[in-house]
Amino acid sequence: MSGPATGNANEIANKTQLVEFAESGNKPPEKWRIGTEHEKFGFKLDTLEPLPYEGPSGIQAMLEGLQRFGWQPDYEGDNVIALTMEGCSVSLEPGGQLELSGAAVENLHQTCSEVHNHLAQVREVGDEIGVGFLGLGFSPKWTLDETPIMPKGRYQIMRDYMPKRGQHGRDMMFRSCTVQVNLDYRSEADMIKKFRTSLALQPLATALFANSPFTEGRPNGHLSHRSFIWTDTDPDRTGMLPWVFEDGFSFEQYVDYALDVPMYFVYRNGTYIDASGQSFRDFMDGKLPALPGERPNFVDWDNHLTTLFPEVRMKRFLEMRGADGGPWRRLCALPAFWVGLLYNDAALESAWSLVKDWTVEDRHRMREDVITHALKTKTPDGRTMRELASDVLDIATDGLKARKRLDSFGEDETHFLNALKTTVETGMTPADEMLAKFYAEWNESTDPAFSEYAY
């Protein structure tokens, strides 16, 4: 989850300005960029306990140690809660998960270099203070009570509000990790096609990246437990957004959706003000109970957009949200998957042709089924998700080849898909692999995951 937004503090006068805000994301293809984010669980190397904020082996010590590489600290009160450098940020999730939000880069080689450099820095500091980081989609060992809460005001507001809307909101906050990618669009029509195609294919991404089969030391019955918890977190702000596929979908309709999602907070003068359950429409009318008489600015709107959690989210770009966190090479595979499908017109058309006839019921059923069955999930035409994945990866490969973005050795971007191609060839998701180890060489313990799946 993001920290407080910065930028345009001009007051919002009407909804038209919000539509124009979304339209301002329109870019010609030569200016399209790739922004990758990933989260990871920190743990103490000696005890496998989660990291508190304070202490010699805490999150604060990690953030202070990373500053030797040129990262600049951001504070909330006296606490450092984020780092920034050259368009990147390192921030905290509610339970101490560490997130890298990468810069907007031109190609996947730069993305993977960015991830590699970040993880090398994290390892250097972590080795000094006795800390490791784990690449899974859900905490395999710790209870909610054992998981700390980070000292950020918005997290206390969310923690208190979550149980009012669903059973698993706190699990989402404190015990899940994901990898995401932010991608651009050229126009409203391009946004619509990319939104629909990527939203329909999020269950496939969930299946390919399924990596969260354990809860509190035991198998939980799911391959993507992270995806399961999103099904009962908050129906106001999650899900597959069926209206995106209806005639008339537009920037304005997404703005209307966002306006109707209840707020969490307003950020003023370094403090999060609890506005949970209140209406942004009332805020625009100067009638927000939390700030009577005050109207929002674009920073408030940007902050509000970060509290929407559908499987694909729009700000001034589209954010792919369906994948579990995972090991290093899968952090590069996720952006490769979506860039290959969405950043080449022929690939986008081919991908859209695969999903355009699916119904609301088809998409909902697949999203539910991949939680447990992943690549064995049936598609609407009776095939398996594994077979669909083979076709989609062929399209993504062609899309990446057509981009012709070469590294210094003359290699294009297609090799970043290799981890996913292996998954399809074997039919084994990361979760399947871990479960097999759990019942064999791990002797029904999740502790070995902390070494085998650490960065």
Side-chain angles (χ1 to χ4, degrees):
M1 296 174 198
S2 306
T6 59
N8 185 353
N10 292 332
E11 185 175 290
I12 299 168
N14 53 59
K15 188 180 79 171
T16 299
Q17 290 177 291
L18 301 181
V19 177
E20 292 170 349
F21 180 84
E23 290 174 337
S24 71
N26 292 345
K27 296 182 179 70
E30 62 270 19
K31 292 188 177 181
W32 289 352
R33 296 294 181 264
I34 305 162
T36 305
E37 307 173 15
H38 82 269
E39 302 158 357
K40 47 203 169 288
F41 296 106
F43 63 94
K44 295 182 180 181
L45 290 172
D46 55 349
T47 64
L48 306 186
E49 293 174 306
L51 303 184
Y53 179 77
E54 298 177 324
S57 296
I59 287 290
Q60 184 179 42
M62 170 61 63
L63 295 178
E64 290 173 348
L66 288 173
Q67 291 173 46
R68 74 184 66 167
F69 301 107
W71 293 94
Q72 299 300 307
D74 288 341
Y75 290 87
E76 186 171 315
D78 295 330
N79 297 315
V80 57
I81 47 87
L83 306 171
T84 58
M85 180 171 60
E86 297 177 355
C88 301
S89 69
V90 175
S91 58
L92 301 182
E93 294 298 290
Q97 308 97 312
L98 199 68
E99 178 177 12
L100 173 70
S101 296
V105 300
E106 295 184 24
N107 60 62
L108 294 167
H109 310 296
Q110 294 168 323
T111 294
C112 222
S113 177
E114 175 185 72
V115 170
H116 175 79
N117 290 338
H118 167 72
L119 293 179
Q121 293 172 4
V122 166
R123 271 196 305 273
E124 180 177 316
V125 177
D127 287 346
E128 294 173 4
I129 64 174
V131 165
F133 283 89
L134 181 64
L136 297 181
F138 194 79
S139 168
K141 186 177 176 71
W142 311 315
T143 66
L144 268 175
D145 288 342
E146 292 170 334
T147 305
I149 181 169
M150 295 296 104
K152 295 176 70 172
R154 68 184 286 171
Y155 294 157
Q156 189 62 56
I157 293 169
M158 292 173 63
R159 181 182 182 275
D160 293 343
Y161 181 72
M162 284 292 185
K164 301 174 183 177
R165 301 301 301 134
Q167 295 187 52
H168 301 302
R170 290 180 177 175
D171 281 330
M172 178 277 290
M173 292 178 63
F174 295 102
R175 298 201 287 178
S176 72
C177 281
T178 185
V179 54
Q180 301 168 176
V181 63
N182 304 323
L183 299 175
D184 292 313
Y185 43 78
R186 66 160 63 88
S187 64
E188 184 171 67
D190 187 49
M191 177 278 293
I192 292 168
K193 193 167 188 177
K194 286 175 175 173
F195 206 137
R196 289 172 173 169
T197 302
S198 59
L199 190 54
L201 287 173
Q202 286 306 314
L204 177 59
T206 300
L208 285 168
F209 288 83
N211 194 32
S212 46
F214 303 117
T215 302
E216 298 175 14
R218 300 298 303 173
N220 52 39
H222 301 136
L223 297 178
S224 178
H225 191 67
R226 183 205 61 84
S227 185
F228 168 75
I229 65 174
W230 278 112
T231 64
D232 192 7
T233 290
D234 184 342
D236 293 329
R237 65 189 76 239
T238 62
M240 291 287 285
L241 307 185
W243 43 267
V244 167
F245 298 89
E246 297 173 358
D247 291 343
F249 175 56
S250 61
F251 286 128
E252 182 175 6
Q253 190 173 7
Y254 193 88
V255 166
D256 281 328
Y257 157 70
L259 285 170
D260 289 332
V261 172
M263 297 174 65
Y264 280 154
F265 58 80
V266 181
Y267 189 71
R268 288 289 183 274
N269 302 317
T271 299
Y272 287 96
I273 299 168
D274 189 346
S276 54
Q278 297 176 27
S279 165
F280 205 95
R281 292 186 189 273
D282 287 346
F283 197 8
M284 291 177 66
D285 291 335
K287 299 177 182 178
L288 190 72
L291 282 176
E294 190 166 336
R295 287 181 168 80
N297 56 45
F298 283 94
V299 173
D300 296 321
W301 180 244
D302 225 0
N303 278 329
H304 180 59
L305 291 177
T306 69
T307 70
L308 279 59
F309 308 125
E311 293 295 283
V312 176
R313 177 166 68 186
M314 183 169 66
K315 291 190 262 188
R316 284 176 287 181
F317 46 81
L318 295 176
E319 181 178 7
M320 309 294 119
R321 298 179 47 82
D324 286 3
W328 183 89
R329 61 188 185 138
R330 286 180 169 268
L331 302 181
C332 302
L334 189 278
F337 180 78
W338 290 115
V339 168
L341 294 177
L342 304 183
Y343 269 12
N344 173 264
D345 288 344
L348 177 58
E349 180 59 35
S350 295
W352 173 239
S353 70
L354 291 176
V355 304
K356 64 183 180 181
D357 294 327
W358 294 353
T359 66
V360 171
E361 293 75 21
D362 290 334
R363 293 187 295 269
H364 179 75
R365 178 191 57 77
M366 285 187 290
R367 186 197 178 213
E368 294 281 333
D369 288 354
V370 295
I371 291 167
T372 305
H373 304 295
L375 293 175
K376 296 177 182 177
T377 298
K378 291 293 185 180
T379 65
D381 61 3
R383 298 193 300 163
T384 63
M385 197 69 83
R386 181 183 178 187
E387 293 171 302
L388 173 66
S390 180
D391 290 346
V392 172
L393 286 172
D394 285 344
I395 294 170
T397 298
D398 289 343
L400 293 178
K401 284 181 179 177
R403 279 169 50 80
K404 298 180 180 178
R405 302 296 202 276
L406 307 181
D407 64 13
S408 59
F409 301 101
E411 277 198 88
D412 65 19
E413 299 167 309
T414 56
H415 66 93
F416 293 115
L417 293 172
N418 287 347
L420 302 184
K421 291 180 179 180
T422 299
T423 294
V424 172
E425 288 166 5
T426 63
M428 296 281 285
T429 68
D432 291 309
E433 294 171 0
M434 280 191 290
L435 285 167
K437 292 178 179 180
F438 178 83
Y439 288 111
E441 60 262 40
W442 290 4
N443 295 315
E444 298 194 14
S445 170
T446 58
D447 287 1
F450 288 83
S451 55
E452 292 193 32
Y453 291 85
Y455 292 109

